[in-house]
Amino acid sequence: MDIPAIMASGPVIPVIEIESEDDAIPLARALLAGGVKVLEITLRTPAALGAIKRISKSVKEAVVGAGTVLTAEDVRRALDAGAQFAISPGLTIDIAEACADGGLPLLPGAVTATELMLGRKHGFRNFKFFPAASSGGAAAVKAFAGPFADLKFCPTGGINPDNAGSYLSLPNVPCVGGSWLAPKDLVASKDWDAITDLALKTQSLRA
Ligand code: 3PG
């Protein structure tokens, strides 16, 4: 799946920080049951790569990627684990090259006009707008549609069910990212039904 298809697959990409590999498969299945099939596992915990490995091997309907990709080495580790895409809070040439070399679709982060122009110069047309809420929110993303009519955004950071609609109503926002779909307390208590409910509720967020 390429980045446009990943961004079109649903209104919310869950940003997952996973503490235990054992939770990976039930969590992926819970989100899938709620209609969420694209999963971003952030490389912020020791369990992240193992979680990607387990999901890519055992939950074939899911599309699992690595988030918080900060270095080319992260890209290689994500590829080895079976990640199908990478998301970075920013963009470096090292990361772009490692993804291109490995055939891994990359959604890089950008929040300023200059960052967008640099990313665009390197061939990117889709960006993670991060951190969204503190970088101007939906008003900033809306303003980018003027000069950057060919760019699309996945705003992430400070987005929740109450404000997601203000982003998703914009024509240049196919999806948003958010950690609220896999809250740590629900994962710790293995309340998979509650996570499926959260996922189901995202399906009506797009205006
Ligand atoms: C991210 O890593 O993309 C963000 O930290 C997620 O932000 P949120 O926790 O505000 O959804």
Side-chain angles (χ1 to χ4, degrees), residues 14-43:
V15 178
I16 299 165
E17 198 176 311
I18 196 155
E19 302 295 342
S20 164
E21 280 183 40
D22 291 340
D23 291 331
I25 291 173
L27 174 60
R29 294 211 169 112
L31 289 165
L32 270 171
V36 172
K37 71 173 196 172
V38 170
L39 315 174
E40 173 188 351
I41 308 282
T42 60
L43 301 185

mmCIF file of all heavy atoms in Angstrom, residues 14-43:
data_model
loop_
_atom_site.group_PDB
_atom_site.id
_atom_site.type_symbol
_atom_site.label_atom_id
_atom_site.label_comp_id
_atom_site.label_asym_id
_atom_site.label_seq_id
_atom_site.Cartn_x
_atom_site.Cartn_y
_atom_site.Cartn_z
ATOM 1 N N PRO A 14 -4.252 5.083 14.257
ATOM 2 C CA PRO A 14 -3.894 5.038 15.674
ATOM 3 C C PRO A 14 -2.379 5.116 15.866
ATOM 4 O O PRO A 14 -1.632 4.417 15.181
ATOM 5 C CB PRO A 14 -4.445 3.686 16.147
ATOM 6 C CG PRO A 14 -4.624 2.873 14.925
ATOM 7 C CD PRO A 14 -4.761 3.798 13.759
ATOM 8 N N VAL A 15 -1.973 5.986 16.778
ATOM 9 C CA VAL A 15 -0.552 6.128 17.134
ATOM 10 C C VAL A 15 -0.360 5.305 18.406
ATOM 11 O O VAL A 15 -0.867 5.655 19.472
ATOM 12 C CB VAL A 15 -0.211 7.605 17.383
ATOM 13 C CG1 VAL A 15 1.249 7.747 17.812
ATOM 14 C CG2 VAL A 15 -0.479 8.439 16.132
ATOM 15 N N ILE A 16 0.347 4.176 18.251
ATOM 16 C CA ILE A 16 0.382 3.181 19.327
ATOM 17 C C ILE A 16 1.757 3.137 19.987
ATOM 18 O O ILE A 16 2.774 2.966 19.303
ATOM 19 C CB ILE A 16 0.031 1.783 18.749
ATOM 20 C CG1 ILE A 16 -1.383 1.813 18.149
ATOM 21 C CG2 ILE A 16 0.152 0.704 19.825
ATOM 22 C CD1 ILE A 16 -1.689 0.620 17.254
ATOM 23 N N GLU A 17 1.758 3.288 21.295
ATOM 24 C CA GLU A 17 3.001 3.124 22.067
ATOM 25 C C GLU A 17 2.786 1.855 22.884
ATOM 26 O O GLU A 17 2.006 1.858 23.834
ATOM 27 C CB GLU A 17 3.187 4.360 22.961
ATOM 28 C CG GLU A 17 4.596 4.514 23.472
ATOM 29 C CD GLU A 17 4.782 5.798 24.268
ATOM 30 O OE1 GLU A 17 4.382 6.874 23.780
ATOM 31 O OE2 GLU A 17 5.295 5.715 25.385
ATOM 32 N N ILE A 18 3.462 0.788 22.495
ATOM 33 C CA ILE A 18 3.132 -0.515 23.089
ATOM 34 C C ILE A 18 4.203 -0.943 24.094
ATOM 35 O O ILE A 18 5.392 -0.850 23.831
ATOM 36 C CB ILE A 18 2.899 -1.568 21.969
ATOM 37 C CG1 ILE A 18 2.190 -2.789 22.528
ATOM 38 C CG2 ILE A 18 4.178 -1.945 21.247
ATOM 39 C CD1 ILE A 18 1.407 -3.560 21.497
ATOM 40 N N GLU A 19 3.722 -1.403 25.245
ATOM 41 C CA GLU A 19 4.661 -1.777 26.317
ATOM 42 C C GLU A 19 4.999 -3.260 26.293
ATOM 43 O O GLU A 19 6.061 -3.660 26.747
ATOM 44 C CB GLU A 19 4.062 -1.436 27.694
ATOM 45 C CG GLU A 19 3.707 0.032 27.890
ATOM 46 C CD GLU A 19 4.924 0.956 27.862
ATOM 47 O OE1 GLU A 19 6.059 0.467 28.038
ATOM 48 O OE2 GLU A 19 4.730 2.159 27.628
ATOM 49 N N SER A 20 4.072 -4.074 25.779
ATOM 50 C CA SER A 20 4.295 -5.520 25.813
ATOM 51 C C SER A 20 3.980 -6.144 24.452
ATOM 52 O O SER A 20 2.888 -5.922 23.900
ATOM 53 C CB SER A 20 3.398 -6.154 26.889
ATOM 54 O OG SER A 20 3.329 -7.547 26.690
ATOM 55 N N GLU A 21 4.926 -6.914 23.938
ATOM 56 C CA GLU A 21 4.704 -7.592 22.652
ATOM 57 C C GLU A 21 3.466 -8.474 22.682
ATOM 58 O O GLU A 21 2.790 -8.653 21.677
ATOM 59 C CB GLU A 21 5.902 -8.488 22.323
ATOM 60 C CG GLU A 21 7.078 -7.768 21.753
ATOM 61 C CD GLU A 21 8.185 -8.745 21.385
ATOM 62 O OE1 GLU A 21 7.902 -9.829 20.854
ATOM 63 O OE2 GLU A 21 9.351 -8.414 21.652
ATOM 64 N N ASP A 22 3.194 -9.034 23.846
ATOM 65 C CA ASP A 22 2.046 -9.944 23.954
ATOM 66 C C ASP A 22 0.721 -9.248 23.670
ATOM 67 O O ASP A 22 -0.274 -9.904 23.357
ATOM 68 C CB ASP A 22 1.991 -10.570 25.351
ATOM 69 C CG ASP A 22 3.133 -11.548 25.575
ATOM 70 O OD1 ASP A 22 3.707 -12.018 24.560
ATOM 71 O OD2 ASP A 22 3.452 -11.829 26.739
ATOM 72 N N ASP A 23 0.698 -7.933 23.811
ATOM 73 C CA ASP A 23 -0.546 -7.204 23.539
ATOM 74 C C ASP A 23 -0.735 -6.896 22.055
ATOM 75 O O ASP A 23 -1.816 -6.448 21.648
ATOM 76 C CB ASP A 23 -0.558 -5.876 24.324
ATOM 77 C CG ASP A 23 -0.681 -6.098 25.819
ATOM 78 O OD1 ASP A 23 -1.291 -7.118 26.214
ATOM 79 O OD2 ASP A 23 -0.170 -5.267 26.590
ATOM 80 N N ALA A 24 0.312 -7.100 21.254
ATOM 81 C CA ALA A 24 0.281 -6.625 19.871
ATOM 82 C C ALA A 24 -0.862 -7.240 19.058
ATOM 83 O O ALA A 24 -1.638 -6.511 18.416
ATOM 84 C CB ALA A 24 1.624 -6.911 19.199
ATOM 85 N N ILE A 25 -0.954 -8.554 19.088
ATOM 86 C CA ILE A 25 -1.947 -9.210 18.226
ATOM 87 C C ILE A 25 -3.375 -8.921 18.700
ATOM 88 O O ILE A 25 -4.224 -8.513 17.895
ATOM 89 C CB ILE A 25 -1.632 -10.724 18.098
ATOM 90 C CG1 ILE A 25 -0.347 -10.867 17.273
ATOM 91 C CG2 ILE A 25 -2.787 -11.492 17.469
ATOM 92 C CD1 ILE A 25 0.209 -12.258 17.182
ATOM 93 N N PRO A 26 -3.675 -9.088 20.018
ATOM 94 C CA PRO A 26 -5.043 -8.745 20.428
ATOM 95 C C PRO A 26 -5.397 -7.281 20.181
ATOM 96 O O PRO A 26 -6.540 -6.972 19.809
ATOM 97 C CB PRO A 26 -5.089 -9.080 21.922
ATOM 98 C CG PRO A 26 -3.715 -9.456 22.327
ATOM 99 C CD PRO A 26 -2.918 -9.724 21.098
ATOM 100 N N LEU A 27 -4.430 -6.390 20.339
ATOM 101 C CA LEU A 27 -4.709 -4.971 20.077
ATOM 102 C C LEU A 27 -5.024 -4.752 18.596
ATOM 103 O O LEU A 27 -5.996 -4.071 18.246
ATOM 104 C CB LEU A 27 -3.504 -4.115 20.502
ATOM 105 C CG LEU A 27 -3.575 -2.628 20.171
ATOM 106 C CD1 LEU A 27 -4.783 -1.968 20.840
ATOM 107 C CD2 LEU A 27 -2.290 -1.920 20.607
ATOM 108 N N ALA A 28 -4.209 -5.346 17.721
ATOM 109 C CA ALA A 28 -4.446 -5.202 16.280
ATOM 110 C C ALA A 28 -5.817 -5.761 15.912
ATOM 111 O O ALA A 28 -6.569 -5.148 15.133
ATOM 112 C CB ALA A 28 -3.345 -5.913 15.494
ATOM 113 N N ARG A 29 -6.161 -6.907 16.489
ATOM 114 C CA ARG A 29 -7.470 -7.517 16.162
ATOM 115 C C ARG A 29 -8.614 -6.656 16.679
ATOM 116 O O ARG A 29 -9.657 -6.534 16.036
ATOM 117 C CB ARG A 29 -7.549 -8.929 16.748
ATOM 118 C CG ARG A 29 -6.559 -9.875 16.081
ATOM 119 C CD ARG A 29 -7.041 -11.334 16.028
ATOM 120 N NE ARG A 29 -6.168 -12.113 15.147
ATOM 121 C CZ ARG A 29 -5.344 -13.068 15.550
ATOM 122 N NH1 ARG A 29 -5.291 -13.385 16.831
ATOM 123 N NH2 ARG A 29 -4.598 -13.712 14.676
ATOM 124 N N ALA A 30 -8.428 -6.049 17.864
ATOM 125 C CA ALA A 30 -9.479 -5.192 18.433
ATOM 126 C C ALA A 30 -9.717 -3.978 17.536
ATOM 127 O O ALA A 30 -10.860 -3.586 17.274
ATOM 128 C CB ALA A 30 -9.090 -4.745 19.838
ATOM 129 N N LEU A 31 -8.639 -3.391 17.048
ATOM 130 C CA LEU A 31 -8.783 -2.219 16.173
ATOM 131 C C LEU A 31 -9.404 -2.622 14.835
ATOM 132 O O LEU A 31 -10.290 -1.926 14.312
ATOM 133 C CB LEU A 31 -7.419 -1.545 15.978
ATOM 134 C CG LEU A 31 -6.904 -0.823 17.241
ATOM 135 C CD1 LEU A 31 -5.423 -0.501 17.122
ATOM 136 C CD2 LEU A 31 -7.716 0.452 17.513
ATOM 137 N N LEU A 32 -8.967 -3.770 14.301
ATOM 138 C CA LEU A 32 -9.549 -4.260 13.050
ATOM 139 C C LEU A 32 -11.046 -4.497 13.183
ATOM 140 O O LEU A 32 -11.818 -4.172 12.286
ATOM 141 C CB LEU A 32 -8.889 -5.584 12.653
ATOM 142 C CG LEU A 32 -7.658 -5.527 11.768
ATOM 143 C CD1 LEU A 32 -7.040 -6.913 11.689
ATOM 144 C CD2 LEU A 32 -8.014 -5.018 10.371
ATOM 145 N N ALA A 33 -11.442 -5.040 14.321
ATOM 146 C CA ALA A 33 -12.874 -5.302 14.553
ATOM 147 C C ALA A 33 -13.667 -3.999 14.542
ATOM 148 O O ALA A 33 -14.866 -4.002 14.253
ATOM 149 C CB ALA A 33 -13.065 -6.047 15.875
ATOM 150 N N GLY A 34 -12.996 -2.902 14.837
ATOM 151 C CA GLY A 34 -13.653 -1.592 14.781
ATOM 152 C C GLY A 34 -13.438 -0.891 13.459
ATOM 153 O O GLY A 34 -13.723 0.308 13.332
ATOM 154 N N GLY A 35 -12.900 -1.590 12.463
ATOM 155 C CA GLY A 35 -12.760 -1.031 11.122
ATOM 156 C C GLY A 35 -11.463 -0.264 10.889
ATOM 157 O O GLY A 35 -11.304 0.373 9.850
ATOM 158 N N VAL A 36 -10.542 -0.339 11.850
ATOM 159 C CA VAL A 36 -9.262 0.386 11.713
ATOM 160 C C VAL A 36 -8.187 -0.620 11.333
ATOM 161 O O VAL A 36 -7.841 -1.494 12.128
ATOM 162 C CB VAL A 36 -8.893 1.093 13.039
ATOM 163 C CG1 VAL A 36 -7.497 1.686 12.975
ATOM 164 C CG2 VAL A 36 -9.926 2.175 13.354
ATOM 165 N N LYS A 37 -7.673 -0.516 10.103
ATOM 166 C CA LYS A 37 -6.699 -1.545 9.697
ATOM 167 C C LYS A 37 -5.277 -1.033 9.553
ATOM 168 O O LYS A 37 -4.325 -1.815 9.519
ATOM 169 C CB LYS A 37 -7.168 -2.273 8.448
ATOM 170 C CG LYS A 37 -7.134 -1.488 7.172
ATOM 171 C CD LYS A 37 -7.482 -2.461 6.068
ATOM 172 C CE LYS A 37 -7.111 -1.909 4.714
ATOM 173 N NZ LYS A 37 -7.264 -2.865 3.652
ATOM 174 N N VAL A 38 -5.103 0.282 9.449
ATOM 175 C CA VAL A 38 -3.740 0.836 9.383
ATOM 176 C C VAL A 38 -3.282 1.179 10.797
ATOM 177 O O VAL A 38 -3.975 1.912 11.513
ATOM 178 C CB VAL A 38 -3.692 2.085 8.481
ATOM 179 C CG1 VAL A 38 -2.349 2.783 8.602
ATOM 180 C CG2 VAL A 38 -3.942 1.693 7.023
ATOM 181 N N LEU A 39 -2.151 0.628 11.211
ATOM 182 C CA LEU A 39 -1.676 0.790 12.587
ATOM 183 C C LEU A 39 -0.259 1.347 12.584
ATOM 184 O O LEU A 39 0.625 0.801 11.917
ATOM 185 C CB LEU A 39 -1.657 -0.569 13.298
ATOM 186 C CG LEU A 39 -2.881 -1.474 13.120
ATOM 187 C CD1 LEU A 39 -2.619 -2.822 13.761
ATOM 188 C CD2 LEU A 39 -4.119 -0.830 13.717
ATOM 189 N N GLU A 40 -0.053 2.416 13.331
ATOM 190 C CA GLU A 40 1.298 2.970 13.495
ATOM 191 C C GLU A 40 1.817 2.574 14.868
ATOM 192 O O GLU A 40 1.281 2.987 15.895
ATOM 193 C CB GLU A 40 1.265 4.500 13.371
ATOM 194 C CG GLU A 40 2.602 5.147 13.711
ATOM 195 C CD GLU A 40 2.541 6.683 13.783
ATOM 196 O OE1 GLU A 40 1.519 7.281 13.406
ATOM 197 O OE2 GLU A 40 3.541 7.270 14.244
ATOM 198 N N ILE A 41 2.862 1.755 14.868
ATOM 199 C CA ILE A 41 3.507 1.374 16.138
ATOM 200 C C ILE A 41 4.739 2.259 16.294
ATOM 201 O O ILE A 41 5.687 2.167 15.495
ATOM 202 C CB ILE A 41 3.952 -0.110 16.130
ATOM 203 C CG1 ILE A 41 2.810 -1.053 15.721
ATOM 204 C CG2 ILE A 41 4.567 -0.498 17.471
ATOM 205 C CD1 ILE A 41 1.793 -1.347 16.769
ATOM 206 N N THR A 42 4.752 3.105 17.301
ATOM 207 C CA THR A 42 5.878 4.026 17.464
ATOM 208 C C THR A 42 7.092 3.287 18.030
ATOM 209 O O THR A 42 6.962 2.455 18.940
ATOM 210 C CB THR A 42 5.504 5.194 18.387
ATOM 211 O OG1 THR A 42 5.142 4.687 19.674
ATOM 212 C CG2 THR A 42 4.344 5.987 17.820
ATOM 213 N N LEU A 43 8.263 3.646 17.511
ATOM 214 C CA LEU A 43 9.506 2.996 17.972
ATOM 215 C C LEU A 43 9.994 3.701 19.242
ATOM 216 O O LEU A 43 11.093 4.235 19.294
ATOM 217 C CB LEU A 43 10.582 3.063 16.881
ATOM 218 C CG LEU A 43 10.238 2.422 15.534
ATOM 219 C CD1 LEU A 43 11.438 2.469 14.595
ATOM 220 C CD2 LEU A 43 9.753 0.979 15.703
#
